[in-house]
Structure formats: C-alpha cells, structure tokens
Amino acid sequence: MSDVDPSFRTLDDLIQASCDGLLDDASLRELERRLSADAEARRSFAEAHLVHSEIRFVVRSRHASEALLTQLHDVATDGPTIASPARRWSLGQFTPTETVGKLAAAVVLFALGWGLLALGRPRPATAPATSEPLNVAWLVNAQDCQWAADESEMPGRDMRAGKLLKLRVGLAEIEFDQGARVLLQGPAIVELLTGNSARLVSGKMTAQVPARAKGFTVLSPTGKVVDLGTEFGLTVDDRGNTTVKVFKGEVQASPLATPDKPSPAPTLTLLKDQVALIAPRSVAIEDPTVQGEDASRFVRAIDPPRVLVPRSLELDFSAPRPGTLSDAAGLGIGLTHRLPGTGSSLPGLDPNLRLDSAARALRLTTTRSDINRQTNLATGEYLGFRLADLGFTGAEDFEISATIPEIPGLEQVGQFGLYAGRKSDSNIRGGLISQNERDQYRLFLVNNDGGIDADIHEIGVMNTGEDLKLTLRRRRGRYSLIVENQTRQSSSTLSIAHRPFLDGAADLYVGVFGANTQSDVSKTLTIRNVSVTVLSSRLASLPTRLDGSRLASSQDFP
C-alpha cells in the first residue's frame, strides 16, 4: 500500500484513474485487490468503464447492452489472459479466488486499447486520455432544410454514433466515415450507428455506396438492408413497414428478429430495378408498377439551385452606334430592330429620329399609326431590340426600361411607352394614353392578339411636363408595367390578364414607341437610358468538400 499513489485515496479515485489510464503498477494491484474483495466495487468499476469507452455507441440497443453486462459479469467466474497494445498482463499469477482481479485487468486493458484505437496513437502515461467519441458521419450538402427545434436533433459537430437527426423539410446529404452517402428527404428521422451503418426511423432516404463502403447497412423498424455495392432507396411508412428499391447493383434485405420469432426469415437478394416490402415478419418482392406514387418518388441527388444570370444591354445615347438604326443624319441610334409589321415604308435615314449625343437623348417624333386594328403601321415608330441577341430562347424572363422626361401633350388618343411581342398583331404594350382633357394621361397596359386590343388596364392620371421611368417586365411568364413618376417621387404598377399567345415564343422583340393614333398632330418624345435585361438561369456551382472534391448532382447518376 505504501507504493500506491497518495492521490488515489478512494475506490472512486482508483476507478477514475483507471478510466483515464493513469494507474501505475502498485495502484493497479491495489484496485485489483479491492475489486476482488467487494462485489459492489466490481459493479461500479464495470459501469464506469462502459460509459467511459462509449460502448453504448457500439451496442445500439438496450438488450444488447444488458447482454454485454451479463458477459462482463460472467468473466468474474473464469477470465482469460488479455493483451493490450501497450503492455501484456499475465493473469495466471492469480489464484482461482482472485478471478475478479482478472475482470479488472481485462476491462482496464480493454478501455486502454479502445482509447488507443480511437485516438490513432498512444498518449503519454502522464496525460489524461480523452473519452470524446469520434464522429461517424458529416453533413456535406443541404437544400431548403428545416430541422427539429431541438439542437440535439440537428446536424452539428456531434455527428457521433447514437446521434438522432430529425429533418422536417428539405434535402440533406450525409457522408459516412467509410464513404457511403445518404440523402434524406424530409420529413425523415435517421439515427447514426457507425461509420458504415444507420437506422432509418421514418421517412425516405437514398444511399450511394462506393466499393470501399460495401456492406453499408441500414436498419429500419421492421428490417435490415445490407449493400453489396450499389445505389438504393429506402422508405419507412407510418406503421414502420419498409420499402426498398434498387437503382443499380444489389442489396440484401431481411426482416428483423422479434421476441416471438428469434430467427429472421431467409435473406432476399434484390437486383437493379427490383422493389421489396419488408414487413415485421417477412420480406417479398413487389411489382414496381403497382407501388404507391409516394413510395416511388426517391430523390437520388441534390441538384444545385438555379441562379439567374442577367444579360443586359444599356443604351445612354451618348454617342452614335454604327450598324444600328439611323436617324435623319445617318447616325446610328443604338436601337437595332423594329417590331415586325411596323416601319416598313420609313426611309433608311429616318426623319422622325434624331440622336442628341450632347443631351444623351434620342428625340422621337410620333406618327399617325395604331397597333389596335393595325392602322398605318408602315410608318409606325416601334423601335427596339431582338431578345434572341441577348440569349433569349423563349423560356426566360426579361424586362425593358426607358426614361422619358418632360412628357409632351399628345392629341387624343395619343400614346407612348414600351412593347414586347412577336409582331405588330401579337404583342403586349403599355405606357401612357392621352385623355379627353388636354395635357393629361392615364397609365395603360393591354394585350394585342390578332391585331385587336383586349384586356386593357388603365389607372391614374399623369400630367404633361413630368419625368417618368417606364419598365415593362415579364416574371414567371406574366407581364406588368411599372411607372415611376420621378417628378412626384411616386410609382404605380399595372398587371394584366395572362393570355398564352406569347408563351414560349423565342422570336420576341422589345422596345419603345410613340404614336398619335387619331390625330395628325405629331409631338416629339425625349428618350433616355434604355436598358434591356434577359434573366437567363443556370445551375449554381456545385459545392465542394474540404478535400476539394466536387459533390455530385443528379446529372452524374443515371
């Protein structure tokens, strides 16, 4: 006793020191002596080491834990010689009445060996060894996820064995230590078991298993699926029944043993495109054509979100633009096209256009023409751009805007503004339309399918002399007009009934127009800062792991 470290005054001190790997030879012999003499001490010792070594994370059920305790208790009657990576203790020196000492040495050395395995290298005898278990999996990708409110049930730094993850909404990709990748499809609950196994409590998941992770196992309330090098989906319904579908490769599926049925049914091997239902007492191949719709909808990978990539053209009229429509002096105004069906009789040097580079403006003189009923459109001024030149294919959203300062008073029923369409008798246009009272306008937006205006929407009153910015916009296929009164610091938005006549059309044009539709009195508009934007979309860049490798998208898998 005199050689025992004086800091180990109590049995609890000795047990804790054995857990931490700090016992010297004399203290170890003293611990063995106390354990040999006291059954309660032996019980405390065994429980402490079970907790410390995190055996509860390897043994995944209460029954298995109780079985292990029983086995440890049985060791007390006849224990073997145990070897540790650090040193070997020969237990043959003890008499049969000292078998508890064998238990002590066995569990001590087991705990030390477990610690060395987890840490990857032995620690100095003078430093406490950590009991922190290692993570068995990592969250590597997520999309639109909502997790349980309890932080212990969402991903974090503690992705260890025994961790329960509750995904309410969204997609979450988890990579296990040995390389298997699992995609949870919310709502779903999964428990991490080891670096190569999990338990799906409820919901839906898919697994992609590389060769190095062959044997990846997923438990469910009713069964077990073991990978044989494959990709498969698994779903657990409200009653715990499990459906497994193989996308490629093969898996083994079997029901779990139950108290009244200790031996599971024979294992069933499933191949590509086969589906099986694992019930509490059976497993059987199902006809995939009669699966419920929900059961067949497995998400196999997270596609990165699509992002909008604007392609814009801005025109400030600060200088001539060669190769574009010409004004009366032959200067390129920057606008490149006319709305098909308009302006066909206007000369190349258009007398109604004048580029004023000093004022950074285009002066447009209106003509007597009218889109409604297709009147005099050969001299109509409908100038703009072809959206295809900005990558438009018919599916994208877009917008065009222009600033028109000091708006003039057009004779009734004069109008000016913006348009979008395929041709003169298939378009949407909006802007300002003159009222019965001189020098006043109303805002309007109208469909024209077949040359006749329809669904006109008119609001508000604008006065001549005010500065306006107009924007004609398409979002999700629907059109709206935003009119900003820069003089009053106010804005108005008009929407219109959706008609499909422009849906999917790739040959769209957008631009500005001005017309004195029912009068021979022309007025001149000042146009500044015309811009066009096509909102193309593409997949966002795929995220990468810490090692720099790219995460997969659904395009990587058939």
Side-chain angles (χ1 to χ4, degrees), residues 194-214:
T194 71
N196 210 36
S197 64
R199 181 166 69 95
L200 183 63
V201 179
S202 63
K204 192 176 298 184
M205 59 164 275
T206 55
Q208 295 171 354
V209 185
R212 69 181 185 276
K214 184 177 179 180

Side-chain angles (χ1 to χ4, degrees), residues 21 23 25 72 186 249 252 369 376 424 442:
L23 285 180
D25 290 348
L72 289 173
Q252 291 180 340
S369 62
N376 299 328
S424 63
R442 289 177 64 83

Side-chain angles (χ1 to χ4, degrees), residues 69-118:
L69 288 172
T70 300
Q71 293 172 9
L72 289 173
H73 180 269
D74 292 341
V75 174
T77 63
D78 189 13
T81 298
I82 306 295
S84 114
R87 64 183 299 181
R88 181 178 297 274
W89 294 89
S90 175
L91 302 182
Q93 59 184 301
F94 297 104
T95 66
T97 59
E98 293 173 315
T99 53
V100 176
K102 300 178 184 180
L103 169 64
V107 180
V108 168
L109 295 175
F110 171 74
L112 292 175
W114 179 271
L116 292 174
L117 177 62

Side-chain angles (χ1 to χ4, degrees), residues 357-386:
S357 298
R360 294 176 176 261
L362 173 68
R363 314 293 184 184
L364 185 157
T365 300
T366 62
T367 61
R368 182 166 184 168
S369 62
D370 195 352
I371 288 285
N372 188 30
R373 303 185 184 280
Q374 305 288 285
T375 304
N376 299 328
L377 290 181
T379 58
E381 294 288 4
Y382 295 81
L383 316 166
F385 305 96
R386 183 173 57 191

Side-chain angles (χ1 to χ4, degrees), residues 138-140 142 145 147-148 150-159 163-167 172-174 184 192:
W138 294 265
L139 179 68
V140 295
C145 287
W147 299 91
D150 188 340
E151 291 186 1
S152 67
E153 297 172 335
M154 62 179 64
R157 296 182 178 179
D158 59 335
M159 298 283 280
K163 174 80 171 184
L164 197 67
L165 300 175
K166 293 185 178 180
L167 177 65
E173 185 178 24
I174 298 168
L184 291 182
L192 309 179

Side-chain angles (χ1 to χ4, degrees), residues 301-448:
I302 297 178
D303 280 329
R306 301 194 72 86
V307 297
L308 294 178
V309 181
R311 298 181 180 180
S312 298
L313 186 155
E314 297 184 359
L315 191 60
D316 64 2
F317 303 107
S318 61
R321 298 286 186 96
T324 61
L325 297 176
S326 298
D327 70 357
L331 300 176
I333 63 173
L335 300 167
T336 58
H337 291 78
R338 298 180 183 273
L339 177 64
T342 69
S344 59
S345 65
L346 293 171
L349 303 183
D350 190 338
N352 302 315
L353 303 177
R354 181 171 67 88
L355 180 66
D356 187 347
S357 298
R360 294 176 176 261
L362 173 68
R363 314 293 184 184
L364 185 157
T365 300
T366 62
T367 61
R368 182 166 184 168
S369 62
D370 195 352
I371 288 285
N372 188 30
R373 303 185 184 280
Q374 305 288 285
T375 304
N376 299 328
L377 290 181
T379 58
E381 294 288 4
Y382 295 81
L383 316 166
F385 305 96
R386 183 173 57 191
L387 287 180
D389 294 338
L390 289 174
F392 182 75
T393 66
E396 298 84 358
D397 286 335
F398 59 85
E399 66 180 44
I400 177 172
S401 66
T403 299
I404 303 179
E406 300 179 353
I407 57 176
L410 298 181
E411 299 286 341
Q412 185 186 1
V413 179
Q415 54 188 260
F416 65 88
L418 306 173
Y419 70 84
R422 300 177 62 242
K423 51 186 179 177
S424 63
D425 60 355
S426 179
N427 60 79
I428 293 174
R429 72 187 192 280
L432 275 69
I433 185 169
S434 61
Q435 297 296 290
N436 294 329
E437 298 83 0
R438 185 178 177 82
D439 299 335
Q440 285 192 344
Y441 292 97
R442 289 177 64 83
L443 312 183
F444 81 99
L445 184 63
V446 66
N447 287 317
N448 189 291

Side-chain angles (χ1 to χ4, degrees), residues 160-178:
R160 308 182 183 103
K163 174 80 171 184
L164 197 67
L165 300 175
K166 293 185 178 180
L167 177 65
R168 295 170 55 196
V169 177
L171 300 173
E173 185 178 24
I174 298 168
E175 187 166 320
F176 284 75
D177 183 58
Q178 294 190 25

